[in-house]
Amino acid sequence: MKTNLKYPLLSNAFNSSDIKVGISVLQSKKITMSEITKQFEKNFAKKIGSKYALMTNSGSSANLLAVSLLLNLLTKKRLKKGDEVIIPAVCWSTSLWPIVQNNLRPVFVDVEPHTMNIDIEDLKKKINKKTKAVMCIHVLGTSTNMNILMKIIKKNKLFLIEDTCESLGAKYDNKHLGTFGRFGTYSFYYSHQITSGEGGMIVCNDRGDYNLLKSMRSHGWSRDTNLHEKLSKKYKNLDNRFLFISPGYNLRPTDIQAAIAANQFKRLNNFMKIRNYNRNKIITNLKKHPDWDYQFRFVEVDKKLKPSWFGLPIIINQKFQKNKKRFLDFLQKKGIENRPIISGNFLNQPASKLYKFTKNRSGFKNSELIEKLGFFIGLHTQKIKPKQVDHLVNNLMKINKFR
């Protein structure tokens, strides 16, 4: 019998209670950012283990705020134009573009083949006197060895931004990813660990940074910052409701987004357990298949890491490389939605060539490998059914036909 089973990257992102809290905000007619957002920020900071959390309209906006603050004239600990920021070659576009948009120079490093995260050894080689910061991207619920990375950060007096948009809830050595550096950013996009459709968060531990982030998120206003009262007295000739103290954007979320994200945030631990169960189920059954012959390789997890999956990254055996596209097209036709691992090696993207980020492409062999051999499928927030496991495993194992 033919099967109509579908396996999308994500299914049933919202339950009835998520919809109810969103509708409740709409019915209140108080839609813009207000108390619901503030309460979610407090709950988020407490659970993650950070002093402050600030919600944004996306994880990309959180990255933009983090990098932009590092050059803001109101912060004492800042960068200057032309400083170098290290970033892994396997990255998302809006992890990179805030560096470029703020007139900083991105320096790309390779990734580890077994974790897909930033390669510590390559990072060490790329650090010089111009290096001032690292944009560390925690890939698909995992990380590099954070203890070693933090020693390098402290030794070289670098700023660390942790792009944790793909790894909400993950811990390294019992400490939440996103809380090691000066800033941590998170995303609540549709397919991520929790979702509000769109939405993000930035965390920090410095009160000055927090207040400046608040101002930058809202046009550069002074309102709701610790500088407002002082400036109101100084600029008595100006309307203190509209004092602008900093360059700014409009990156605010709505209370609708905050209500839905906060409701899902309560279920984060459960989501993590189910996704981990689903991942183990799929991998175990693949390895039990009678035709199993190491056709696929999976991420290796550090013993100190508690991952937070939302997708299952897979590296195919090199002998199938030339027919990878045909294989992925086959999976799509079988209802198994798949996609590249982040953006692959971003240095191969058209925009990177436009900016001529690096002339030497030979130093990124692992990033190239991930692009050429890698893809990922989703891990859902409902326990996978035996029929789904069979559908996935049987079709994945048909890779043998694509030599």
Side-chain angles (χ1 to χ4, degrees), residues 129-169:
K129 291 181 180 179
K130 294 181 180 178
T131 309
K132 302 298 178 183
V134 174
M135 172 67 81
C136 179
I137 297 163
H138 300 309
V139 175
L140 293 169
T142 65
S143 75
T144 189
N145 185 314
M146 292 304 295
N147 292 338
I148 295 176
L149 177 62
M150 290 311 298
K151 287 179 182 178
I152 296 168
I153 293 293
K154 290 173 182 176
K155 179 183 177 181
N156 294 279
K157 298 179 181 179
L158 304 175
F159 295 127
L160 174 64
I161 299 172
E162 294 175 78
D163 184 336
T164 322
C165 290
E166 298 181 351
S167 299
L168 172 62

Side-chain angles (χ1 to χ4, degrees), residues 2-3 19 168 248 298 403:
K2 288 186 178 180
T3 178
I19 302 302
L168 172 62
F298 309 99
R403 292 184 185 225

Side-chain angles (χ1 to χ4, degrees), residues 48-283:
I48 293 297
S50 183
K51 287 185 180 179
Y52 307 104
L54 198 78
M55 191 176 181
T56 58
N57 59 358
S58 72
S60 296
S61 294
N63 283 337
L64 178 59
L65 282 178
V67 178
S68 297
L69 185 142
L70 290 180
L71 286 99
N72 194 298
L73 295 176
L74 290 178
T75 184
K76 293 178 181 178
K77 300 175 183 178
R78 62 176 181 266
L79 307 182
K80 62 179 185 296
K81 292 179 182 179
D83 283 343
E84 292 183 358
V85 180
I86 287 177
I87 183 170
V90 176
C91 67
W92 188 245
S93 63
T94 48
S95 308
L96 166 66
W97 295 127
I99 298 169
V100 178
Q101 289 155 349
N102 279 279
N103 295 303
L104 298 168
R105 182 171 176 263
V107 174
F108 290 87
V109 298
D110 205 4
V111 297
E112 300 166 332
H114 54 291
T115 72
M116 305 182 191
N117 281 277
I118 194 166
D119 186 316
I120 297 290
E121 294 306 313
D122 197 29
L123 170 69
K124 289 178 184 176
K125 294 174 186 176
K126 300 285 176 67
I127 293 174
N128 59 54
K129 291 181 180 179
K130 294 181 180 178
T131 309
K132 302 298 178 183
V134 174
M135 172 67 81
C136 179
I137 297 163
H138 300 309
V139 175
L140 293 169
T142 65
S143 75
T144 189
N145 185 314
M146 292 304 295
N147 292 338
I148 295 176
L149 177 62
M150 290 311 298
K151 287 179 182 178
I152 296 168
I153 293 293
K154 290 173 182 176
K155 179 183 177 181
N156 294 279
K157 298 179 181 179
L158 304 175
F159 295 127
L160 174 64
I161 299 172
E162 294 175 78
D163 184 336
T164 322
C165 290
E166 298 181 351
S167 299
L168 172 62
K171 291 181 178 180
Y172 192 90
D173 210 2
N174 208 34
K175 182 179 172 69
H176 275 279
L177 298 182
T179 63
F180 286 81
R182 184 166 175 179
F183 301 111
T185 63
Y186 303 86
S187 170
F188 311 139
Y189 181 62
Y190 188 73
S191 60
H192 290 182
Q193 279 84 0
I194 67 168
T195 183
S196 50
E198 292 281 4
M201 192 76 77
I202 181 168
V203 299
C204 65
N205 287 314
D206 183 86
R207 188 164 178 255
D209 284 348
Y210 170 64
N211 279 281
L212 191 49
L213 287 170
K214 263 200 217 177
S215 174
M216 294 169 67
R217 177 183 66 175
S218 300
H219 311 281
W221 256 328
S222 67
R223 64 173 62 175
D224 288 332
T225 73
N226 61 346
L227 294 172
H228 182 71
E229 187 176 345
K230 181 180 178 181
L231 290 168
S232 295
K233 292 177 181 178
K234 184 176 181 180
Y235 295 97
K236 293 180 180 179
N237 59 320
L238 297 177
D239 187 329
N240 67 7
R241 297 171 299 170
F242 293 90
L243 288 176
F244 296 92
I245 60 174
S246 165
Y249 311 93
N250 182 6
L251 305 178
R252 297 170 295 186
T254 65
D255 263 7
I256 300 171
Q257 289 170 292
I260 295 171
N263 199 55
Q264 290 221 340
F265 193 53
K266 297 172 187 176
R267 312 200 299 278
L268 174 61
N269 288 343
N270 190 47
F271 288 163
M272 288 172 61
K273 287 178 184 177
I274 293 171
R275 281 174 159 142
N276 193 53
Y277 169 87
N278 291 346
R279 178 181 184 270
N280 290 338
K281 202 77 175 172
I282 294 166
I283 293 174

Side-chain angles (χ1 to χ4, degrees), residues 314-318 320-325 328 344-345 348 365-375:
I314 298 171
I315 301 294
I316 65 173
N317 190 295
Q318 201 150 10
F320 302 108
Q321 179 180 333
K322 66 178 182 179
N323 289 317
K324 176 192 166 190
K325 186 179 186 305
L328 296 186
N345 180 359
N348 292 330
K365 64 177 182 179
N366 297 328
S367 301
E368 284 291 301
L369 179 146
I370 287 168
E371 178 175 307
K372 290 176 181 177
L373 303 178
F375 70 100

